[in-house]
Amino acid sequence: MRSDAQRNRERILEVALEELTQSADAPLSSIAKKAGVGQGTFYRNFPNREALVLEVYRYEVQQVSDTASQLLQNRAPDQALREWMDRLAQYAMAKAGLADAMRQATSAHGSLAGLGRGSVTSAVALLLKANEEAGTIRPGVTPDDFVLAIAGLWQIDPHGDWQSRAGRLLDLVMDGLRAGAPGS
Amino acid sequence: MRSDAQRNRERILEVALEELTQSADAPLSSIAKKAGVGQGTFYRNFPNREALVLEVYRYEVQQVSDTASQLLQNRAPDQALREWMDRLAQYAMAKAGLADAMRQATSAHGSLAGLGRGSVTSAVALLLKANEEAGTIRPGVTPDDFVLAIAGLWQIDPHGDWQSRAGRLLDLVMDGLRAGAPGS
DNA sequence: ACCTGAACACCGTTCAAGT
DNA sequence: ACCTGAACACCGTTCAAGT
């Protein structure tokens, strides 16, 4: 890849993050224009809206994912899991526009599911494994199960008291995970 | 409302159900055309895509909602709740196209949440109340909590073995609801 | 009071011409 | 090899004219 091509791609992603966070249905043409590239350049990098949104979201979510291993070092497994969920919730609310863009752009698989075998799956797998080994959650829960269980996070209106609603949801999920744990 | 106007509205809804189930992003103009009405007529009835999708979905979901009271008469409260969730899952999979249309059309609130204080909320309230009184679930769970907890249903790909994934999600939710129940 | 459909605006996508 | 931007296609929305 030529260096100017790479810079173009990065600039598109920068602008897209900004624009999509502000408004989920920001026109791709305006993103291209603000990034200073022509339409054709934009489309060679991202053949459709979903491709762009997925890439932006992937990078952003990765930052939250990466904190998982750190949390596991400082806390008990179940507290690390819960804390991580809280951070994910906080992130989801802060980037509500982006999450909306995801919902609208992805067809069958929503929110996190579309990211595929990425950093989120790894982080979740890490947390679940630590808890399973500590006996704090039921055995056999897959990352896929977990992602489905917290899917409600992305339905919460980020205005108003999302803290309360998210907290109640995550409490319920934690209790569900704990049910059938060997250590209880 | 004039009788021909009412028939127009009904015909639009009929066609919309068919078209949106098949393809979530069916053009509104083609729905209008297949319903045999002009663009203006369409827009007087449904000022935007969200209004149309919401109304179609509301009616369809109501059919599932209405089975709640019947289930409560024939089964123990917790079995009724679980059975009702299974039916909802089955419905959500069958009408996957519609659910997709909902996800794409509604901005902040997804899937069921957009339906507002409708039949779903009533059905859920009924089921939760019966269970709370029977002591089979923890007290204080609101319909809103419940809807968030099962939000993952609408993220499941209706092709492949959704049965397994939905079953695991609903098991987890049921266990979460049961945690802290007086009767356990 | 309600309807029709042409017309307009906007956005995604392509592609011939340029460097 | 990569880029630009005009051009095209499509869809949502409006509105003047009709019944």
Side-chain angles (χ1 to χ4, degrees):
Chain A
M1 168 127 57
R2 239 165 54 179
S3 67
D4 57 338
Q6 190 162 358
R7 289 196 52 176
N8 277 337
R9 184 184 174 85
E10 284 165 9
R11 198 147 44 201
I12 291 172
L13 283 172
E14 273 176 39
V15 173
L17 169 61
E18 200 173 343
E19 295 292 300
L20 290 176
T21 304
Q22 192 184 353
S23 156
D25 46 9
L28 299 184
S29 46
S30 84
I31 293 177
K33 179 169 287 180
K34 289 190 180 174
V37 301
Q39 308 271 64
T41 302
F42 181 91
Y43 271 84
R44 196 169 331 98
N45 281 284
F46 305 100
N48 50 49
R49 169 174 279 261
E50 181 171 350
L52 173 68
V53 172
L54 230 58
E55 180 116 352
V56 173
Y57 205 66
R58 193 191 315 270
Y59 176 76
E60 291 299 308
V61 156
Q62 185 165 1
Q63 297 179 314
V64 182
S65 299
D66 289 346
T67 67
S69 63
Q70 194 181 348
L71 284 172
L72 279 172
Q73 289 173 355
N74 301 336
R75 294 160 218 259
D78 58 339
Q79 284 178 346
L81 178 59
R82 179 53 202 265
E83 170 79 20
W84 188 80
M85 291 197 288
D86 281 331
R87 291 188 184 191
L88 192 63
Q90 199 170 352
Y91 170 83
M93 297 302 104
K95 306 279 177 172
L98 248 193
D100 249 46
M102 280 287 292
R103 290 221 343 275
Q104 287 174 33
T106 64
S107 45
H109 30 257
S111 310
L112 290 182
L115 301 177
R117 306 285 152 236
S119 57
V120 187
T121 309
S122 308
V124 171
L126 204 67
L127 289 161
L128 290 177
K129 190 180 172 224
N131 276 276
E132 188 169 328
E133 285 173 356
T136 46
I137 66 169
R138 72 167 73 180
V141 178
T142 68
D144 180 70
D145 293 335
F146 180 82
V147 166
L148 284 185
I150 62 170
L153 281 181
W154 284 265
Q155 313 251 24
I156 297 177
D157 183 5
H159 318 296
D161 66 334
W162 60 266
Q163 321 250 9
S164 161
R165 293 183 72 194
R168 292 167 67 84
L169 171 63
L170 297 182
D171 284 343
L172 197 73
V173 170
M174 274 304 289
D175 284 340
L177 292 172
R178 271 194 274 260
S184 68
Chain B
M1 167 128 56
R2 238 165 53 178
S3 68
D4 57 338
Q6 190 162 357
R7 291 195 53 177
N8 277 337
R9 185 186 174 85
E10 283 165 10
R11 198 146 45 201
I12 292 171
L13 284 171
E14 274 175 40
V15 173
L17 169 61
E18 201 172 343
E19 295 291 301
L20 290 176
T21 304
Q22 192 183 354
S23 156
D25 47 8
L28 299 184
S29 45
S30 85
I31 293 177
K33 179 169 286 180
K34 289 192 181 175
V37 301
Q39 308 269 64
T41 302
F42 181 92
Y43 271 83
R44 197 169 329 98
N45 280 285
F46 306 100
N48 51 51
R49 169 174 278 260
E50 181 170 351
L52 174 68
V53 172
L54 230 57
E55 180 115 351
V56 172
Y57 205 66
R58 193 191 315 269
Y59 176 76
E60 291 299 309
V61 156
Q62 185 166 2
Q63 296 179 315
V64 182
S65 298
D66 290 347
T67 68
S69 62
Q70 194 182 348
L71 283 171
L72 279 172
Q73 289 173 355
N74 300 336
R75 294 159 217 259
D78 58 338
Q79 284 179 346
L81 177 59
R82 179 53 202 266
E83 171 78 20
W84 188 81
M85 291 197 288
D86 281 331
R87 292 188 184 191
L88 192 63
Q90 200 169 352
Y91 170 82
M93 296 302 103
K95 306 279 176 172
L98 248 192
D100 250 47
M102 280 286 294
R103 290 223 341 276
Q104 286 175 33
T106 65
S107 46
H109 31 255
S111 310
L112 290 182
L115 302 177
R117 305 284 153 236
S119 57
V120 188
T121 310
S122 309
V124 171
L126 203 67
L127 289 161
L128 290 177
K129 190 180 171 223
N131 276 276
E132 187 168 330
E133 285 173 356
T136 45
I137 66 168
R138 72 167 72 179
V141 178
T142 68
D144 179 71
D145 293 336
F146 181 81
V147 167
L148 283 185
I150 61 170
L153 282 181
W154 284 266
Q155 313 251 24
I156 297 177
D157 183 5
H159 319 296
D161 66 333
W162 59 267
Q163 322 251 9
S164 160
R165 293 183 73 194
R168 292 167 68 84
L169 171 62
L170 297 182
D171 284 343
L172 196 73
V173 171
M174 273 305 289
D175 284 339
L177 292 172
R178 271 195 273 262
S184 69

